[in-house]
Amino acid sequence: MTHDVIVVGAGAAGCVVAARLTEDANRSVLLLEAGPHYATEEQWPPELLDGLGFPRDHDWGVVSAPLVNGGHTFPIPRGKVVGGSTAVNFCVALRSRPTDHRAWADLGLPRWSWDEVLPVYQAIEHDYNAEPRVPAGRVPIRRYARDELTDTQERFLTACEKAGFALVDDHNAPDSLGAGSTPLNQVGGRRYNAALVYLADAADRPNLTVRSDAEVDTVLIRDGRAVGVRLASGEEITAKQVVLSAGAYGSPAILLRSGVGPAEHLREVGVDVVADLPGVGSVLLEHPATPAIFAVAEDRPAQRPAPLRTMLSIKTSPAEPDVDVHIHAMAAMPARPAEGHPTGFDLRMTSALVAPHSVGSVRLASADPAALPVVDTGIYRDPRDAERVAEGLRVIRRLVEQSPLASVVSAERLPGAGVADADLVQAVHATVGTYNHPVATCRMGVDSDAGAVVDETCRVRGIDDLWVIDAAAIPVSPRSTTTLPVLMLAERAVSLNWPNA
Ligand SMILES: Cc1cc2nc3c(=O)[nH]c(=O)nc-3n(C[C@H](O)[C@H](O)[C@H](O)COP(=O)(O)OP(=O)(O)OC[C@H]3O[C@@H](n4cnc5c(N)ncnc54)[C@H](O)[C@@H]3O)c2cc1C
């Protein structure tokens, strides 16, 4: 049987594309996902629905290539389940910013200007705190009220105010800058992953088939046209159109195994060149993050983990056009190990850079689909990036000196009170991690842009009937988190390509 469309990967983007395309009862869609499928809310493992935890057992197990500075490696999680990374993520629901979309327009992509994408965001969000209320979309978003915050998070916001930062009601308001409750796609502590939000309604459609535990090896390409996919098992499935939504690591890896990518790299790993497309996997933009940890007296009242309910967005220098660093404050948590700890509880804050200059890449280790891709996050390759994360740590230190936090904090444990402000860049290199927002590995661009992999509608250049619709297509690292931007991109790409979807 030939399907009209095969969608590869059931993450944020894949769930949108499959749901939207099957609104037309005459179009059959096969959604292929390497991980398992929990078809009803009852079947989901509780830890994946618990928006307060950090599930790690539905993961691809990718570890970063060693960093250029210090050679560190670290896990770079990606969800492997219908729902994708939205089933394991931290639920921060931030829109990309008008500044980001000016950068898209500057790349010659006016269909992705702020005026074009704002209505898309408004249509997909169901924002419980928005005033005036906009027509309700599918993605639930809410913010914790001040009296719902943990003691330390409430103190964090007051400390931000005392340190001179503005309080903001809505971090999603264009140009907002300052401290406030984080918009979360979490309601009543439940993580609303893309499968729950998008597939639940579509699941019963006879024209949608969801096939889980089906890992795609390559796209079948005949005479310059995508005609289906080959699974890692060797099975071939045909379709009239193929959409790759396998994420920022998965989509470039599939293209490379299919012979679509930089010819030199393909020859190195023994893949026949189908199309020499130099941009595939050649750019990876990621948000680095570094924690600061302080010993605090026990939180009042004792709380379960309550991650990321508050955040401060800052510009680390007046020259920055917009926010470049996010600072998140967690709840106070029992310290591990507890032995020898001054209070038994830690308060963790994070400085995360959302406008990186550094560039990484995704490459194949081999043509074997069982081999995980080689992901160079590029983190801190450009020295300006570590400096800005360090500036975020300096702001955290200033916050901790304010009375609301100073009265409960007893010691800086990481980077450590002994590390001078001037030396924080070294500390940033030593405790590097990511904010988990890779984009641009199959980035969008105009025909004259030799590094562009897809055009402004997400069609792969030079191959007919093949699209990349997911985080990989985003050309500019958003000064935000990435779930909402990916959902927006998927909705808009469907509208541009299948106007009557
Ligand atoms: C730990 C973590 C925390 C995060 N926290 C936040 C947050 O708080 N806020 C936020 O906005 N964003 C967050 N993100 C990022 C956000 O979840 C991603 O940007 C978003 O899910 C990307 O969507 P996607 O569709 O591109 O990829 P994904 O959602 O990752 O989906 C890709 C899907 O493709 C499947 N796939 C891959 N390769 C194959 C293959 N060969 N064959 C078949 N299927 C395949 C995968 O299993 C997966 O289901 C976080 C991510 C992680 C991992």
Coordinates of all heavy atoms in Angstrom, one line a residue, residues 8-14 32-35 56 60 77-81 83-86 88-92 214-216 245-248 250 254 257 308 435-437 470-471 481-484 486, ligand 1:
V8 N 8.1 11.1 9.3 CA 9.1 10.4 10.1 C 9.4 11.1 11.4 O 9.9 12.3 11.4 CB 10.4 10.2 9.3 CG1 11.5 9.5 10.1 CG2 10.2 9.5 8.0
G9 N 9.0 10.5 12.5 CA 9.3 11.1 13.8 C 8.0 11.8 14.4 O 7.4 12.6 13.7
A10 N 7.6 11.3 15.5 CA 6.3 11.8 16.1 C 6.6 12.7 17.3 O 6.1 12.5 18.4 CB 5.5 10.6 16.5
G11 N 7.5 13.6 17.1 CA 7.8 14.6 18.2 C 6.9 15.8 18.1 O 5.8 15.7 17.5
A12 N 7.4 17.0 18.5 CA 6.7 18.2 18.5 C 6.1 18.4 17.1 O 4.9 18.6 16.9 CB 7.5 19.4 18.9
A13 N 7.0 18.5 16.1 CA 6.6 18.8 14.7 C 5.8 17.7 14.1 O 4.8 17.9 13.4 CB 7.8 19.1 13.9
G14 N 6.2 16.4 14.3 CA 5.6 15.3 13.6 C 4.1 15.1 14.0 O 3.3 14.8 13.2
L32 N 5.7 7.5 11.4 CA 6.6 6.5 11.9 C 7.4 7.0 13.0 O 8.0 8.1 12.9 CB 7.6 6.1 10.7 CG 6.9 5.4 9.5 CD1 8.0 5.3 8.4 CD2 6.5 4.0 9.9
E33 N 7.6 6.3 14.1 CA 8.3 6.7 15.3 C 9.2 5.6 15.8 O 8.7 4.5 15.9 CB 7.3 7.2 16.3 CG 7.9 7.4 17.7 CD 9.0 8.4 17.8 OE1 9.0 9.4 17.2 OE2 10.0 8.0 18.5
A34 N 10.4 5.9 16.1 CA 11.4 4.9 16.6 C 11.0 4.4 18.0 O 11.3 3.3 18.4 CB 12.8 5.5 16.6
G35 N 10.4 5.3 18.8 CA 10.1 4.9 20.2 C 8.7 4.3 20.3 O 8.0 4.1 19.3
R56 N 14.2 10.1 32.2 CA 15.4 9.9 31.3 C 15.3 8.5 30.6 O 16.3 8.1 30.0 CB 16.6 10.0 32.2 CG 17.1 11.4 32.4 CD 17.6 12.1 31.1 NE 17.7 13.5 31.3 CZ 16.7 14.4 31.1 NH1 15.5 14.0 30.7 NH2 16.9 15.7 31.4
W60 N 17.4 8.8 23.5 CA 18.3 8.2 22.5 C 19.7 7.9 23.0 O 20.4 7.1 22.3 CB 18.4 9.2 21.3 CG 17.2 9.1 20.4 CD1 16.0 9.8 20.6 CD2 17.0 8.3 19.2 NE1 15.1 9.5 19.6 CE2 15.7 8.6 18.7 CE3 17.8 7.4 18.5 CZ2 15.2 8.0 17.6 CZ3 17.3 6.8 17.4 CH2 16.0 7.1 16.9
P77 N 20.1 14.9 25.8 CA 18.9 14.1 25.8 C 18.0 14.5 24.6 O 18.0 15.6 24.2 CB 18.2 14.4 27.1 CG 18.8 15.6 27.6 CD 20.2 15.7 27.1
R78 N 17.3 13.5 24.1 CA 16.3 13.6 23.0 C 15.2 12.6 23.3 O 15.6 11.4 23.5 CB 16.8 13.4 21.6 CG 17.7 14.4 21.0 CD 17.0 15.7 20.7 NE 17.1 16.7 21.7 CZ 16.5 17.9 21.8 NH1 15.7 18.3 20.8 NH2 16.7 18.7 22.8
G79 N 14.0 12.9 23.3 CA 12.9 12.0 23.6 C 12.8 10.9 22.5 O 12.9 11.3 21.3
K80 N 12.6 9.7 22.9 CA 12.4 8.6 21.9 C 11.1 7.9 22.3 O 11.0 6.9 23.0 CB 13.6 7.6 22.0 CG 13.5 6.5 20.9 CD 14.8 5.7 21.0 CE 14.9 4.7 19.8 NZ 16.1 3.9 19.9
V81 N 10.0 8.5 21.8 CA 8.6 8.1 22.1 C 7.7 8.9 21.3 O 8.1 10.0 20.8 CB 8.4 8.3 23.7 CG1 8.6 9.8 24.1 CG2 7.0 7.9 24.1
G83 N 5.5 11.6 20.8 CA 5.5 12.8 21.7 C 6.9 13.5 21.6 O 7.1 14.6 21.9
G84 N 7.9 12.6 21.3 CA 9.3 13.1 21.1 C 9.8 13.8 22.4 O 9.5 13.5 23.5
S85 N 10.6 14.8 22.2 CA 11.2 15.5 23.3 C 10.2 16.3 24.1 O 10.5 16.6 25.3 CB 12.3 16.5 22.8 OG 13.4 15.7 22.2
T86 N 9.0 16.5 23.6 CA 8.0 17.2 24.4 C 7.5 16.3 25.5 O 6.9 16.8 26.4 CB 6.8 17.7 23.6 OG1 6.1 16.6 23.0 CG2 7.3 18.6 22.4
V88 N 9.5 14.6 27.4 CA 10.5 14.5 28.5 C 11.0 15.9 28.9 O 12.0 16.0 29.6 CB 11.7 13.6 28.0 CG1 11.2 12.2 27.7 CG2 12.4 14.2 26.8
N89 N 10.5 17.0 28.3 CA 11.1 18.3 28.5 C 10.6 19.0 29.7 O 9.9 18.5 30.5 CB 11.0 19.1 27.2 CG 9.6 19.7 27.0 OD1 8.8 19.7 27.9 ND2 9.4 20.2 25.8
F90 N 11.1 20.2 29.9 CA 10.9 21.0 31.1 C 9.6 21.9 31.0 O 9.4 22.6 32.0 CB 12.1 21.8 31.5 CG 13.4 21.1 31.6 CD1 14.6 21.7 31.3 CD2 13.4 19.7 32.0 CE1 15.8 21.0 31.5 CE2 14.6 19.0 32.2 CZ 15.8 19.6 31.9
C91 N 9.0 21.8 29.9 CA 7.6 22.5 29.8 C 7.7 24.0 29.7 O 6.6 24.6 29.8 CB 6.7 22.0 30.9 SG 6.4 20.3 31.0
V92 N 8.9 24.6 29.6 CA 8.9 26.1 29.5 C 8.3 26.4 28.1 O 8.7 25.8 27.1 CB 10.3 26.6 29.6 CG1 10.4 28.1 29.4 CG2 10.9 26.3 31.0
A214 N 9.5 1.9 15.0 CA 9.8 1.8 13.6 C 10.9 2.9 13.3 O 10.6 4.1 13.1 CB 8.6 2.1 12.7
E215 N 12.1 2.5 13.3 CA 13.2 3.4 13.1 C 13.5 3.5 11.6 O 13.8 2.5 11.0 CB 14.4 3.0 13.9 CG 15.5 4.0 13.9 CD 16.6 3.7 14.9 OE1 16.4 3.0 15.8 OE2 17.7 4.3 14.7
V216 N 13.6 4.8 11.1 CA 13.8 5.0 9.7 C 15.3 5.1 9.5 O 16.0 5.8 10.2 CB 13.1 6.3 9.2 CG1 13.5 6.6 7.8 CG2 11.6 6.0 9.2
S245 N 10.5 14.7 10.3 CA 10.3 15.5 11.5 C 11.0 14.7 12.6 O 10.5 14.5 13.7 CB 8.8 15.6 11.8 OG 8.1 16.3 10.8
A246 N 12.2 14.3 12.4 CA 12.9 13.4 13.3 C 13.8 14.2 14.2 O 14.6 13.7 15.0 CB 13.7 12.4 12.5
G247 N 13.7 15.5 14.2 CA 14.4 16.4 15.2 C 15.8 16.9 14.7 O 16.2 16.5 13.6
A248 N 16.4 17.7 15.5 CA 17.6 18.4 15.0 C 18.8 17.4 14.9 O 19.7 17.7 14.1 CB 18.0 19.4 16.1
G250 N 18.0 13.8 14.4 CA 17.5 12.7 13.6 C 17.3 13.0 12.1 O 17.7 12.2 11.2
I254 N 19.2 11.1 9.0 CA 18.5 10.4 7.9 C 18.9 10.9 6.5 O 19.1 10.1 5.6 CB 17.0 10.4 8.1 CG1 16.6 9.7 9.4 CG2 16.2 9.8 7.0 CD1 15.2 10.0 9.9
R257 N 22.4 9.6 5.7 CA 22.4 8.2 5.3 C 21.8 7.9 4.0 O 22.1 6.9 3.3 CB 21.7 7.3 6.4 CG 22.4 7.2 7.7 CD 21.8 6.1 8.6 NE 20.5 6.3 9.0 CZ 20.1 6.8 10.1 NH1 21.0 7.2 11.0 NH2 18.8 7.0 10.4
L308 N 11.8 25.4 37.4 CA 11.7 26.5 36.3 C 10.4 27.3 36.4 O 9.9 27.8 35.4 CB 11.7 25.8 34.9 CG 13.0 24.9 34.7 CD1 12.9 24.3 33.3 CD2 14.3 25.6 34.9
Y435 N 20.9 23.8 27.4 CA 19.5 24.1 27.7 C 18.6 23.2 26.8 O 17.4 23.4 26.8 CB 19.4 25.6 27.4 CG 18.3 26.4 28.0 CD1 17.5 26.0 29.0 CD2 18.0 27.7 27.5 CE1 16.5 26.8 29.5 CE2 17.1 28.6 28.0 CZ 16.3 28.1 29.0 OH 15.3 28.9 29.5
N436 N 19.2 22.4 26.0 CA 18.5 21.4 25.2 C 17.7 22.0 24.0 O 16.5 21.6 23.8 CB 17.5 20.5 26.1 CG 18.3 19.8 27.1 OD1 19.2 19.0 26.8 ND2 18.0 20.1 28.4
H437 N 18.2 22.9 23.3 CA 17.5 23.6 22.2 C 18.3 23.6 20.9 O 18.4 24.6 20.3 CB 17.2 25.0 22.7 CG 16.4 25.1 23.9 ND1 16.5 26.1 24.8 CD2 15.4 24.3 24.4 CE1 15.7 25.9 25.8 NE2 14.9 24.9 25.6
D470 N 10.8 20.5 11.3 CA 11.1 20.3 12.7 C 12.2 21.3 13.1 O 12.5 22.2 12.4 CB 11.5 18.9 13.0 CG 12.8 18.4 12.3 OD1 13.5 19.3 11.9 OD2 13.0 17.2 12.2
A471 N 12.7 21.1 14.3 CA 13.7 22.1 14.8 C 14.9 22.3 13.9 O 15.5 23.3 13.8 CB 14.2 21.6 16.2
T481 N 12.9 29.4 24.4 CA 13.0 27.9 24.3 C 12.5 27.5 23.0 O 12.2 28.4 22.1 CB 12.2 27.3 25.5 OG1 10.9 27.8 25.4 CG2 12.8 27.6 26.8
T482 N 12.4 26.2 22.7 CA 12.2 25.8 21.3 C 10.9 25.1 21.0 O 10.5 24.9 19.8 CB 13.4 25.0 20.7 OG1 13.8 24.0 21.7 CG2 14.5 25.9 20.4
T483 N 10.2 24.6 22.0 CA 8.9 23.8 21.7 C 7.9 24.6 20.9 O 7.5 24.3 19.9 CB 8.3 23.2 23.0 OG1 9.2 22.4 23.6 CG2 7.0 22.5 22.6
L484 N 7.5 25.8 21.5 CA 6.5 26.6 20.8 C 7.0 27.0 19.4 O 6.2 27.0 18.5 CB 6.2 27.8 21.7 CG 5.2 27.6 22.8 CD1 4.8 29.0 23.4 CD2 3.9 26.9 22.4
V486 N 8.9 25.4 17.4 CA 8.8 24.2 16.5 C 7.3 24.0 16.2 O 7.0 23.7 15.0 CB 9.4 23.0 17.2 CG1 9.1 21.7 16.4 CG2 11.0 23.1 17.3
Ligands
LIG1 C1 15.5 17.3 28.4 C2 14.9 18.3 27.5 C3 14.3 19.5 28.1 C4 13.7 20.4 27.2 N1 13.1 21.5 27.8 C5 12.4 22.4 27.1 C6 11.6 23.3 27.6 O1 11.4 23.4 28.9 N2 10.9 24.2 26.8 C7 11.0 24.1 25.5 O2 10.4 24.9 24.8 N3 11.8 23.2 24.9 C8 12.4 22.3 25.6 N4 13.2 21.3 25.0 C9 13.3 21.3 23.6 C10 12.0 20.8 22.9 O3 11.4 19.7 23.5 C11 12.4 20.5 21.4 O4 12.9 21.7 20.8 C12 11.3 20.0 20.5 O5 10.7 18.9 21.1 C13 11.8 19.7 19.2 O6 10.8 19.2 18.4 P1 11.1 18.3 17.1 O7 9.9 17.9 16.5 O8 12.1 19.0 16.3 O9 11.9 17.0 17.7 P2 11.5 16.0 18.8 O10 10.4 16.5 19.6 O11 12.7 15.6 19.5 O12 10.9 14.7 18.0 C14 11.7 14.0 17.1 C15 11.0 12.6 17.0 O13 11.6 11.8 16.0 C16 11.9 10.5 16.4 N5 13.0 10.0 15.6 C17 14.3 10.5 15.5 N6 14.9 9.7 14.6 C18 14.1 8.8 14.1 C19 14.2 7.8 13.1 N7 15.4 7.6 12.5 N8 13.1 7.0 12.8 C20 11.9 7.3 13.4 N9 11.8 8.2 14.4 C21 12.8 9.0 14.7 C22 12.3 10.7 17.9 O14 12.2 9.5 18.6 C23 11.3 11.8 18.3 O15 10.1 11.2 18.8 C24 13.8 20.3 25.8 C25 14.3 19.1 25.3 C26 14.9 18.2 26.1 C27 15.4 16.9 25.4

